[in-house]
Amino acid sequence: MKPVRLTRWRHNVMVTAAFASIMFGSLLTSSVTFAATDADQDGIDDAVEQTLLAQYAPKLYLHPSEDNKLSSVDWYLQRVTMRFHHDGGCSDDQIIAFNAVTQTNLSQQAHQTKNLICSHSGSNILSSQARNTRADEGFFLQPPNDNGFDKTVYLGSASSDWRTYAHVKPSSVLAGGYDLQYWFFYPYNDSPSVAGLDFNHEGDWEHVTVTVNSSQQFVSAYYSAHNGEGKDYTSAQLQFATKDGAIATDSQKLTSDYKHPVVYSAVGTHASYPTAGQQSRGVLPSDYTGAGDSFNTYYNVVNVGELSHPLNGQAFINYAGLWGEIGETDISTGPAGPAFQSAWNSK
């Protein structure tokens, strides 16, 4: 009887075990990775979203005369109260006190409407429920106006606290492509009056949308402005910069890191334009842009995910109420948040 060669047996066992371990580990890793790649459940790998957002994060210029600058959502929430607007001449109610509003509790509130004698006996409204708050009843945020505190909030925060809130979705304008939305928040919009009507308002959400094709190459960018005045631009109509803000020459556009569109925010209104100077609006007052304070958003862009499935702790997107007080007109009333604006699902 031949003796068993123990060394060969050991070698075969070790190789087999190692191979099984590698295969099992690989399968396990793939399974875990697959389960975690689309946390916001939008059908796009979260890693792809992050890569695209970093690659095309814009450079933002404020006008040199801009007083009302940006802030982060968290900075603003620390400086507001949540209130509920009742119609029919009934008084508003405070829902969350000053310095107690958070991203978590923002969309978790409920409050009853009032009847004809201003008694709480109507429907129970949720702060995550979309509705026309000014025309009907609903939730809104407001900085206290005690001792002019609201005026200090309107100025915005230090630039170290500025954030860009991003949303990636399958493109609504290009089959197989992606729309990359970059949202900016300002505590106050100081629009000029028109025909005696005030157009300024508390809270101001502005955005630009970069569209890329299925190969993740730049196709166009939409710069939002006022009520539907935004425009689409090709790369030839835009300036581009590096993530650190160096402006590209024409031959450098969309090469290397020169892929970050340059956005000029109009003084007061914060409408977005691709150039500095006077921006004509026909019969309406012109906007003015310029190269004042700049914001390289690459370093402070946050992917907020999707409604009901937020990413990175950005639960504020589930809040359906207004981001400023109720004004005399819709235009002078604080806006709804990004996920409750029509642009969220378009551009």
Side-chain angles (χ1 to χ4, degrees):
M1 183 175 179
K2 264 187 183 178
V4 176
R5 297 190 61 180
L6 189 59
T7 54
R8 178 176 294 180
W9 178 83
R10 284 177 178 169
H11 173 75
N12 290 342
V13 168
M14 290 174 67
V15 169
T16 303
F19 180 74
S21 175
I22 291 171
M23 290 301 295
F24 179 75
S26 177
L27 288 172
L28 182 61
T29 302
S30 298
S31 176
V32 171
T33 302
F34 178 79
T37 53
D38 191 17
D40 57 352
Q41 301 184 29
D42 62 356
I44 305 172
D45 190 309
D46 293 341
V48 171
E49 293 189 22
Q50 195 58 39
T51 297
L52 290 172
L53 290 174
Q55 188 169 7
Y56 295 104
K59 176 185 181 70
L60 180 72
Y61 276 116
L62 301 181
H63 190 276
S65 299
E66 182 61 73
D67 292 325
N68 307 114
K69 301 179 181 181
L70 304 99
S71 83
S72 67
V73 163
D74 294 297
W75 184 93
Y76 185 66
L77 294 183
Q78 292 168 8
R79 291 160 175 80
V80 299
T81 61
M82 176 186 278
R83 301 185 63 80
F84 192 92
H85 167 68
H86 291 286
D87 59 13
C90 299
S91 62
D92 296 343
D93 292 322
Q94 179 166 290
I95 306 301
I96 305 178
F98 176 75
N99 203 30
V101 183
T102 67
Q103 289 212 30
T104 301
N105 65 23
L106 193 61
S107 61
Q108 296 179 347
Q109 304 305 308
H111 192 70
Q112 273 191 317
T113 57
K114 292 181 178 179
N115 58 24
L116 294 176
I117 59 172
C118 295
S119 174
H120 287 101
S121 62
S123 303
N124 208 34
I125 306 301
L126 305 179
S127 60
S128 59
Q129 178 181 343
R131 58 191 291 106
N132 189 334
T133 298
R134 179 177 172 274
D136 197 354
E137 300 180 78
F139 298 87
F140 67 98
L141 304 177
Q142 182 179 22
N145 56 15
D146 302 335
N147 301 314
F149 178 78
D150 53 344
K151 302 300 188 295
T152 65
V153 175
Y154 295 169
L155 299 178
S157 69
S159 59
S160 59
D161 196 61
W162 296 353
R163 297 289 182 273
T164 301
Y165 299 96
H167 173 226
V168 182
K169 64 183 183 64
S171 179
S172 62
V173 296
L174 182 67
Y178 304 98
D179 290 335
L180 321 176
Q181 296 184 335
Y182 299 91
W183 292 83
F184 314 107
F185 181 73
Y186 303 80
Y188 192 71
N189 177 306
D190 193 19
S191 295
S193 298
V194 177
L197 292 175
D198 286 335
F199 283 0
N200 52 18
H201 55 84
E202 292 179 345
D204 192 19
W205 281 103
E206 304 289 343
H207 76 283
V208 298
T209 300
V210 174
T211 297
V212 300
N213 61 22
S214 57
S215 300
Q216 303 182 9
Q217 297 171 323
F218 180 93
V219 174
S220 63
Y222 174 80
Y223 285 32
S224 68
H226 308 293
N227 295 285
E229 294 180 38
K231 295 180 180 179
D232 292 293
Y233 298 96
T234 65
S235 60
Q237 298 171 294
L238 297 173
Q239 293 178 312
F240 289 85
T242 65
K243 66 179 182 295
D244 293 310
I247 303 298
T249 63
D250 284 345
S251 62
Q252 291 174 322
K253 285 184 179 182
L254 298 175
T255 65
S256 186
D257 187 38
Y258 292 100
K259 297 180 180 179
H260 305 270
V262 177
V263 182
Y264 291 87
S265 174
V267 62
T269 69
H270 307 137
S272 299
Y273 295 95
T275 58
Q278 181 176 354
Q279 312 293 342
S280 176
R281 300 175 58 209
V283 298
L284 296 173
S286 293
D287 273 333
Y288 294 88
T289 55
D293 290 342
S294 64
F295 178 28
N296 297 317
T297 66
Y298 171 89
Y299 293 100
N300 289 285
V301 62
V302 183
N303 188 354
V304 300
E306 295 293 334
L307 189 62
S308 299
H309 300 287
L311 296 178
N312 301 307
Q314 303 306 301
F316 79 87
I317 65 170
N318 291 322
Y319 169 61
L322 305 180
W323 287 76
E325 67 177 338
I326 310 297
E328 295 182 2
T329 65
D330 287 342
I331 295 178
S332 62
T333 294
F340 292 91
Q341 295 192 24
S342 61
W344 184 258
N345 294 312
S346 55
K347 61 180 180 181

